[in-house]
Amino acid sequence: MLIKRGRGWEIKENEITPEKHFLDRRAAIFGLAGAAAVAAGLGSKALAQAKAPALVAPELYPAKRNAAYQAGRDLTEEKTATNYNNFYEFGTNKYIADSAQKLTIKPWRIQIDGMVEKPIEIDAEELIRKMPIEERVYRFRCVEAWAMTVPWSGFQLSELVKFAKPAGDPKYLRMETFVRSDEARGQRQDWYPWPYTEGLSMAEAMNELAFMVTGAYGKPLPKQMGAPIRLATPWKYGFKSVKSIVRFSFTNERPRTFWEGLAPDEYGFWANVNPAVAHPRWSQATEEIIGTGKRIPSVIYNGYGEQVAALYKDIEGGTGRKLFM
């Protein structure tokens, strides 16, 4: 007899938010925008703009959900998830959604360089349209001990690696965010080492869970969540999931990342979720589910150990006694 054992982070099919709800919501939003344009006495051109805002590849959403990737928790409400964001480029509090709207995301040029067959510069929209877009529901765990559950759209990072054609067997992938202090007021604070940089080992980058995010909640990714393209590594603390990426570099040198450079004793390179190891200033044993007021126990690798624990078996600290290896 074949017995299928469910993974700890999977949920039942009848608990998944129906795709129709996303479609209905999107249609209602566009309908309200069109009605506002008519009420204002605008012409057909303005009405068309109201119906089709300047988003990156909007026709790709909502993407089909990949049922193999579920979170085992209820989805965080869209309004909550899109209005509670760390994005220091736009300010140090969580409520930066309005400020982030100043960011120009179209056009958006991306460099791919370093140890590759040929350096590439490509527009984000062109790159995204080349990729197999799907939706995955992932847990998100911040190092500040709060969590949410988000339906991300995008593609496996391994697809971008294949597109880049690495040469010479690089060990790491370094990622870099934009620098535009005229649009991002937080970048006027010169005590931060802009641009924001992050990195993964190539083994991490090729893991099935490493995901390039281009959308959320059945729509193109909002600016405050890292449009037009960001990373999601659900087994790591959220600061590893770099936003609004403009450069991917393949290298043999382990990247010195943004927060590691500022506070290496608090924000290390690996930063895997580990409830057994406290942050120097607070416990990681529990986490608050944003929007609910509930605290629950944290789980090693944020519940994704089956997929990622083997990546760390030969690294000092093993599968997990150390947070910052």
Side-chain angles (χ1 to χ4, degrees):
M1 178 184 295
L2 178 62
I3 300 176
K4 182 178 178 181
R5 298 183 183 277
R7 288 182 265 195
W9 41 269
E10 292 182 342
I11 62 176
K12 298 176 181 178
E13 183 67 24
N14 62 7
E15 295 175 336
I16 296 172
T17 302
E19 183 178 52
K20 181 179 183 297
H21 289 187
F22 288 128
L23 290 168
D24 290 347
R25 183 180 178 88
R26 189 178 185 211
I29 290 170
F30 285 156
L32 288 171
V38 171
L42 302 178
S44 59
K45 182 177 180 180
L47 180 58
Q49 290 174 342
K51 289 183 177 179
L55 301 172
V56 175
E59 76 281 358
L60 299 178
Y61 310 93
K64 184 177 180 180
R65 180 170 292 172
N66 187 334
Y69 299 94
Q70 302 297 336
R73 295 178 184 173
D74 293 336
L75 292 180
T76 301
E77 289 188 8
E78 180 180 358
K79 183 178 179 180
T80 300
T82 56
N83 286 282
Y84 194 85
N85 312 105
N86 278 329
F87 205 161
Y88 273 55
E89 283 81 350
F90 296 101
T92 56
N93 65 57
K94 301 292 187 293
Y95 305 103
I96 50 77
D98 288 342
S99 297
Q101 302 317 303
K102 295 181 175 67
L103 182 63
T104 302
I105 61 170
K106 192 173 180 178
W108 187 274
R109 303 298 292 176
I110 293 174
Q111 288 180 260
I112 301 174
D113 59 20
M115 297 174 65
V116 294
E117 290 184 7
K118 183 179 180 181
I120 302 165
E121 184 171 309
I122 187 171
D123 188 79
E125 195 156 42
E126 181 182 354
L127 175 65
I128 291 167
R129 286 185 173 133
K130 290 177 181 292
M131 297 295 160
I133 303 298
E134 63 181 18
E135 183 180 80
R136 296 183 180 184
V137 179
Y138 276 173
R139 296 183 184 185
F140 180 90
R141 172 62 154 81
C142 182
V143 73
E144 297 167 348
W146 56 264
M148 58 176 65
T149 303
V150 180
W152 299 118
S153 299
F155 56 91
Q156 276 192 202
L157 176 53
S158 61
E159 294 290 335
L160 185 141
V161 173
K162 286 185 234 176
F163 175 80
K165 297 181 180 178
D169 196 23
K171 296 178 181 177
Y172 298 97
L173 176 59
R174 179 184 181 275
M175 290 155 279
E176 182 177 306
T177 292
F178 69 93
V179 177
R180 297 184 202 162
S181 60
D182 57 328
E183 297 181 348
R185 66 184 183 186
Q187 291 185 331
R188 299 169 198 163
Q189 311 303 323
D190 57 10
W191 53 82
Y192 289 114
W194 307 113
Y196 195 105
T197 54
E198 257 307 334
L200 298 172
S201 71
M202 287 305 301
E204 292 175 319
M206 294 301 290
N207 184 271
E208 65 172 295
L209 292 179
F211 198 59
M212 297 310 308
V213 174
T214 62
Y217 293 91
K219 290 170 279 193
L221 193 63
K223 295 178 181 181
Q224 65 270 25
M225 296 184 90
I229 188 166
R230 64 168 288 173
L231 177 68
T233 49
W235 70 99
K236 293 179 175 289
Y237 290 118
F239 68 85
K240 293 294 292 185
S241 294
V242 54
K243 303 178 180 74
S244 300
I245 302 169
V246 297
R247 186 178 182 186
F248 297 87
S249 299
F250 294 81
T251 177
N252 275 334
E253 182 178 352
R254 196 175 95 174
R256 181 75 162 172
T257 63
F258 181 87
W259 285 110
E260 185 183 14
L262 284 167
D265 293 336
E266 298 188 7
Y267 307 103
F269 178 80
W270 300 104
N272 297 316
V273 176
N274 189 346
V277 179
H279 184 281
R281 290 180 281 133
W282 56 80
S283 171
Q284 296 290 9
T286 64
E287 58 200 56
E288 179 184 352
I289 304 299
I290 292 302
T292 70
K294 297 177 181 177
R295 290 201 78 86
I296 63 172
S298 299
V299 183
I300 185 72
Y301 298 119
N302 205 23
Y304 296 97
E306 180 182 341
Q307 289 73 37
V308 302
L311 296 173
Y312 308 103
K313 62 182 176 62
D314 295 324
I315 295 174
E316 183 182 356
T319 58
R321 300 313 300 176
K322 286 188 177 181
L323 170 60
F324 307 125
M325 301 181 212

